Amino acid sequence: MDFLKLVQRKEHKTYNKIVISMVILVVLIISAVIFWPSSPKHQLLAYLSDDVSFYYHWTNKKTLTKDFFGQEASQEVMTDLELALGNNFLNLQELVWFRTGKKQSNNYLLRFSRLPRSFVNDFNAPEQKYKPLILDKNVLLLSSEYIISNLEPREEKNIYFKEGVSVYWQKTKAPEFLTALADLVEPVFVGEEVLLNWQELARGKNRISLLENTTSELKDVKNFLTLKDFDLVFGFRGGIVDNFDTKLLKTFFDTLPYYNLNDEVIKQRILTDTILWQKDDGWILASDRDWQEDILDFIDYFIVEEVPRVLQDGTAYVELVASPNQNIKEHNINGQEVSQIGELFIWNIGDQHYLSNQKKLIENLSSNNQYLGSILDNCLNKQAEIGDFVYIKDRAVLEQITANYLDDYGIEELQMVTYTTSTITGLNICF
């Protein structure tokens, strides 16, 4: 046997395998360059001109099947496009449905993972009701009008939501199919434009955002301490006072000493720059104002003193009034000085002041070291300042206030937070 020929044949086979492997690798690289979806140069919203009066934006492929806002019209759009695009509908990655000016005709901006060059030619059939125009690689405009001008991408255009589904319209000019939604949310907006976004968060949570281009000044409350275990917590920053029915507060917080609290005290001392927790039959109030000067409005009994008075007819009498010098007991709780007046407990730490009807809640608060900002993190931009907010864990309360169109989400807790940054204000609803 000629072992030399055997070795040469083996080396030749090995060489052939290397060549074939290199060819396959080159083909794969070329295919990836041609067919792999590249990062978009511009967000689709960057193409919209300033005369757009309405748009509905699905930001990615998974949102195309979501009916977040419960609008039949949006599903009709999908059916319409599926018929118009044929097999190319499967390559659709992002979609903006929009209208301009006072016109009610529909126009679409579409981004595809892959768009064949022959598509436009095939689309120009007489029976097609939309006119196609390629704006960029894999970016297409379908217009029911012959000409839409100014569709050049603008780098400076503010795009606030890059995930989920967004809806925009000019206030009081919402399309007819959005009338019910407009009636619900338009009063919340100060300006003339409405922008909503709904997106799915991690672990099956959802967030609805309402946003506008206005700013306001807010005190920072992120560093106030919070109970770790509570049924509900509300934050009132002052803007809600004039429009808030004090009876509504009693619906949520049934443990406060309402036998002493009149509407004026509730508005000025609870609904203004105050945070309020409730756990079972206990409550805590937190503020940057000391509670001791208002303590008589909250305690159920207090020391009185006799004050001589004289009526207009000269009759002398004695009036019993609350003494400014109430008995104060001092406690040391977790290394902190806590004052007790009657059945109430006051804890002052720096410029934060806490008032509670239960000693154990102060113990919990002072040992927990958890801050308010941390429990609202998942629902709020960390750079934003917190305004009015609501956080409800009590299922009984949730069942009373959850809107019908949220019933299918199996809500375990609900957060609503208003906020502001240097350029915008908004409201986030998380569940």
Side-chain angles (χ1 to χ4, degrees), residues 207 222 376-377 379-385 419 421 428:
R207 179 172 66 209
K222 288 193 185 76
L376 299 173
D377 267 356
C379 196
L380 188 67
N381 181 338
K382 294 182 180 180
Q383 304 304 316
E385 297 294 342
Y419 64 91
T421 70
N428 286 350

Side-chain angles (χ1 to χ4, degrees), residues 310-316:
V310 178
L311 296 175
Q312 289 183 350
D313 63 1
T315 304

Side-chain angles (χ1 to χ4, degrees), residues 127-176:
E127 64 272 13
Q128 290 285 6
K129 61 181 179 180
Y130 298 111
K131 306 300 179 182
L133 177 64
I134 293 179
L135 302 178
D136 202 344
K137 182 181 179 181
N138 298 334
V139 176
L140 180 71
L141 167 67
L142 292 182
S143 175
S144 54
E145 305 166 359
Y146 284 97
I147 298 176
I148 292 184
S149 59
N150 302 322
L151 280 182
E152 293 291 333
R154 294 179 293 169
E155 297 286 354
E156 72 279 6
K157 188 176 181 65
N158 289 324
I159 299 172
Y160 298 106
F161 301 110
K162 298 181 180 180
E163 299 289 337
V165 177
S166 298
V167 185
Y168 162 87
W169 68 86
Q170 293 176 355
K171 201 171 181 181
T172 72
K173 299 178 182 178
E176 185 176 350

Side-chain angles (χ1 to χ4, degrees), residues 209-252:
S209 299
L210 293 74
L211 189 70
E212 62 181 331
N213 289 311
T214 59
T215 60
S216 61
E217 295 293 328
L218 292 175
K219 299 176 183 178
D220 190 2
V221 296
K222 288 193 185 76
N223 292 325
F224 270 84
L225 293 167
T226 180
L227 293 174
K228 187 174 183 179
D229 183 23
F230 56 86
D231 295 329
L232 55 160
V233 54
F234 284 18
F236 302 104
R237 307 305 309 281
I240 202 172
V241 172
D242 294 333
N243 302 311
F244 193 87
D245 187 347
T246 56
K247 294 179 182 178
L248 188 58
L249 183 69
K250 300 175 183 179
T251 301
F252 293 103

